[in-house]
Amino acid sequence: HVQLVESGGGSVQAGGSLRLSCVASGYAASSSTFGWFRQAPEKGREGVAYIYNHNGNTGYSDSVNGRFTISQDSAKHTVYLEMSSLKPEDTAMYYCAATSLFMTRAQALVPAPYVYWGQGTQVTVS
């Protein structure tokens, strides 16, 4: 049963904005940490941002810091990624992920600790 579902991807021009959404259900809704990752063709999965469910603290990769914002609506069990000033290099499949672990910044920006994953939503910047 799918417990993380992303939406909001699409095609935008450079400099534009998009907001991605990730709706959690089942056991994933009780996760301590939510993250956003992206993967471009022939490249590894890159950590983009994370948020701690209990206190709302966030972190970002250097490549998106200042342009992307992660947030959550606990009542709706939804995590968002607001992306602004988009660049062609931001083009990738974006994935939502979750884990019950409360981890360090370095751990939260790599895929290994996450156990729940969404199906991905494509973002194309031209």
Side-chain angles (χ1 to χ4, degrees), residues 12-50:
V12 299
Q13 294 181 316
S17 301
L18 284 174
R19 188 177 80 160
L20 307 183
S21 299
C22 173
V23 179
S25 62
Y27 292 115
S30 300
S31 296
S32 298
T33 306
F34 293 88
W36 283 99
F37 293 79
R38 66 187 183 186
Q39 187 165 17
E42 302 180 349
K43 294 184 178 181
R45 193 159 297 187
E46 174 190 12
V48 174
Y50 65 87

Side-chain angles (χ1 to χ4, degrees), residues 10-100:
S11 298
V12 299
Q13 294 181 316
S17 301
L18 284 174
R19 188 177 80 160
L20 307 183
S21 299
C22 173
V23 179
S25 62
Y27 292 115
S30 300
S31 296
S32 298
T33 306
F34 293 88
W36 283 99
F37 293 79
R38 66 187 183 186
Q39 187 165 17
E42 302 180 349
K43 294 184 178 181
R45 193 159 297 187
E46 174 190 12
V48 174
Y50 65 87
I51 186 167
Y52 297 134
N53 185 61
H54 71 288
N55 61 13
N57 287 350
T58 61
Y60 302 90
S61 67
D62 291 339
S63 62
V64 308
N65 193 31
R67 299 187 298 119
F68 291 11
T69 301
I70 187 171
S71 61
Q72 64 185 351
D73 186 332
S74 296
K76 297 181 179 180
H77 304 295
T78 302
V79 179
Y80 304 96
L81 185 68
E82 298 181 44
M83 305 182 293
S84 300
S85 301
L86 284 164
K87 307 173 181 179
E89 64 193 65
D90 295 319
T91 296
M93 185 74 73
Y94 282 72
Y95 298 90
C96 177
T99 178
S100 63

